[in-house]
Amino acid sequence: MTGKCDLPCPTERLVEMMFGQKITFGKRPSFPLGNKILELNHLTLRDWRLELKDLNLQIHEGEIIGLAGLEGSGQQLFLKACAGLIRPKSGHIHIGNREMTGQPYSRYLKEGVIYISAGRLEEGLIPGMNLMEHFALMDRHPPFWVNWSKVKEIASQRIHEYKIRGQPFSLVEELSGGNQQRMLLSLLPRHSKILLLEHPTRGLDLESTNYIWQILSNRSQEGAAILYISSELDELLNHSHRILVFFNGRVQILKTHLVTGTQLGEFIGGKGFESYP
């Protein structure tokens, strides 16, 4: 069949039905950004499903970048490459002035790059261990004997600071999803330069979501760059300086203040890639 047919309902209504809510603008970060901290030059990535070609991007200190797209469109592939967990097919990754292409994740860690997966108990925390034991494991230069009194003191401080509803001896699997996410963030080293997050608020209630973003906003104001995957359009629009939309092996960079919720939903569906400035 040829010719153009009209949609049975307005585009705005279609986007609302797709994502379960009407998308509105929110308050976006407004503080000044710092120096360039992450640079990708002609980066090409490939896995068994797709290939992302010739990506060029500069990210600055304090910048928050949202990654949008249908599940499996390349967001996780991109994020893992930025952490050194996946070796690029070609191109270069620089952190500051350091060439990092092909380096292992341990080297990225030394440069202040932290990756937090969406699976809080599968890849982030360790079931069967309590909060205090997690903090003991985070010591980069552990002594021969663990000073459990000191570790308990650190755990109590972090539990209070991050408002975790648990005790030093609480098992991580006993915490709610929101408290598990707070626990993960409480384990982040203070010197972290780049935070790479998969769905940081997925499945959380509104109170926990707002608190997680308060923590992340504070980190960005301290100079950390944040890249995060989200399927929530309002979250992407409210918290990002820029949004990278992934579709069918292509990536579109959107300036948040120039795109509406309807347009973002259309981009996720593949419409408008060629016409966007």
Side-chain angles (χ1 to χ4, degrees):
M1 185 176 70
T2 60
K4 185 177 180 181
C5 60
D6 295 329
L7 291 173
C9 65
T11 303
E12 292 82 358
R13 175 58 181 155
L14 182 61
V15 171
E16 183 180 349
M17 289 190 293
M18 286 174 61
F19 295 96
Q21 59 185 320
K22 188 174 182 179
I23 306 303
T24 59
F25 289 107
K27 295 181 180 180
R28 303 181 183 90
S30 59
F31 49 86
L33 304 180
N35 298 321
K36 178 180 65 179
I37 192 171
L38 175 64
E39 183 173 11
L40 312 177
N41 297 122
H42 303 291
L43 199 69
T44 295
L45 309 171
R46 176 188 290 174
D47 66 5
W48 62 274
R49 290 174 297 183
L50 53 81
E51 184 176 70
L52 302 174
K53 296 181 180 180
D54 199 32
L55 301 175
N56 294 282
L57 183 66
Q58 291 186 357
I59 298 172
H60 295 80
E61 295 170 336
E63 190 168 14
I64 301 177
I65 305 288
L67 310 184
L70 300 176
E71 199 73 24
S73 295
Q75 306 95 300
Q76 188 184 61
L77 179 66
F78 174 85
L79 211 61
K80 286 190 172 183
C82 292
L85 294 169
I86 291 177
R87 184 183 293 269
K89 179 184 176 185
S90 62
H92 298 276
I93 301 174
H94 290 86
I95 297 176
N97 295 320
R98 294 182 182 271
E99 168 72 56
M100 297 294 292
T101 313
Q103 295 294 324
Y105 180 51
S106 58
R107 175 72 186 281
Y108 281 75
L109 276 174
K110 291 180 180 179
E111 294 297 325
V113 180
I114 305 295
Y115 188 95
I116 297 181
S117 67
R120 302 181 187 106
L121 289 178
E122 293 82 1
E123 298 181 66
L125 303 170
I126 305 175
M129 295 184 66
N130 62 39
L131 276 60
M132 192 168 66
E133 290 168 332
H134 278 77
F135 287 110
L137 288 175
M138 288 303 295
D139 193 338
R140 296 294 179 84
H141 305 286
F144 188 79
W145 301 105
V146 177
N147 185 339
W148 287 109
S149 296
K150 182 180 178 181
V151 173
K152 184 179 180 181
E153 181 181 347
I154 293 172
S156 298
Q157 290 174 349
R158 294 292 181 91
I159 288 170
H160 175 74
E161 180 182 355
Y162 286 84
K163 301 180 181 178
I164 300 169
R165 294 175 182 171
Q167 301 297 324
F169 292 100
S170 299
L171 298 176
V172 291
E173 64 266 31
E174 296 175 349
L175 302 179
S176 66
N179 284 291
Q180 288 174 2
Q181 192 70 4
R182 295 182 195 205
M183 179 61 187
L184 275 173
L185 294 177
S186 75
L187 294 169
L188 296 180
R190 298 292 186 181
H191 69 279
S192 304
K193 297 178 182 177
I194 302 173
L195 303 182
L196 308 171
L197 311 168
E198 291 183 22
H199 302 284
T201 62
R202 174 183 281 177
L204 305 187
D205 57 43
L206 184 60
E207 178 188 0
S208 294
T209 295
N210 290 338
Y211 188 72
I212 294 302
W213 272 110
Q214 180 183 332
I215 295 172
L216 295 177
S217 179
N218 290 340
R219 285 299 185 106
S220 69
Q221 292 184 52
E222 293 169 359
I226 297 173
L227 288 79
Y228 71 101
I229 300 173
S230 178
S231 58
E232 302 292 334
L233 298 193
D234 56 344
E235 182 170 57
L236 292 162
L237 290 168
N238 289 346
H239 298 288
S240 310
H241 292 95
R242 289 183 288 170
I243 299 172
L244 307 186
V245 182
F246 293 73
F247 177 80
N248 195 28
R250 293 181 293 168
V251 180
Q252 184 67 261
I253 303 174
L254 308 180
K255 296 178 180 179
T256 311
H257 68 282
L258 295 179
V259 66
T260 66
T262 298
Q263 289 172 327
L264 178 56
E266 291 175 347
F267 274 113
I268 290 173
K271 178 180 178 182
F273 266 62
E274 291 77 11
S275 60
Y276 188 79

